[in-house]
Amino acid sequence: MAEWRERNRSKMEDYFREYRVSGRAARAELTRRIKSFGITIDEYIEMLREQEEVCAICKQPEEIGVPGQKMRVLSLDHDHDTGKLRGLLCGTCNKALGGFRDDPAILESAMKYLARHGKF
């Protein structure tokens, strides 16, 4: 981890400045997430830019209040069976997919439920 961090130090610092990720814990968490998937900070930033810095599902940025700043760290969503990265999600959408066990039938059932109750 220390070696990876050293190789990517300037890129990470640029990222933290550009996206206003603040706080030691937030930086450590982002570094851990990126490292755990074996991608570089450049690859994460490219994914972020491709998604226009918003969640791939709800199209909202991840914004967690930090005094004077905002922290924008989207989760790396992946297929739990294959481990393949799918995209970047906000915490809410990432938890929702997990709650629905990535099962399209359950998601469809939830949509029908909402439709029955006047949400569509």
Side-chain angles (χ1 to χ4, degrees):
M1 183 78 163
E3 183 182 313
W4 183 92
R5 209 173 17 244
E6 190 57 40
R7 281 195 321 267
N8 292 280
R9 180 176 305 281
S10 67
K11 292 175 186 173
M12 293 295 286
E13 288 171 356
D14 290 344
Y15 172 83
F16 297 140
R17 247 189 319 281
E18 183 175 353
Y19 294 100
R20 299 186 310 276
V21 175
S22 66
R24 187 177 189 155
R27 287 178 237 193
E29 177 62 16
L30 177 60
T31 301
R32 186 194 63 73
R33 288 181 194 179
I34 291 170
K35 173 104 170 97
S36 71
F37 284 99
I39 66 171
T40 66
I41 188 68
D42 289 333
E43 290 168 318
Y44 179 87
I45 291 170
E46 181 61 28
M47 290 175 72
L48 189 65
R49 287 183 177 147
E50 284 175 5
Q51 290 183 204
E52 299 177 0
E53 302 174 31
V54 295
C55 173
I57 294 176
C58 71
K59 308 302 184 205
Q60 297 298 308
E62 181 76 282
E63 295 188 5
I64 300 169
V66 175
Q69 298 184 355
K70 296 202 181 214
M71 175 175 30
R72 297 180 180 187
V73 180
L74 292 169
S75 298
L76 290 149
D77 176 51
H78 66 285
D79 183 307
H80 288 264
D81 294 329
T82 66
K84 182 181 176 189
L85 287 175
R86 297 186 285 212
L88 303 174
L89 302 179
C90 70
T92 301
C93 290
N94 194 36
K95 288 175 193 156
L97 281 185
F100 287 121
R101 299 184 293 278
D102 293 346
D103 187 333
I106 297 172
L107 288 167
E108 185 176 340
S109 180
M111 289 174 46
K112 288 177 182 176
Y113 172 84
L114 288 173
R116 278 195 312 272
H117 295 281
K119 289 293 181 181
F120 293 120

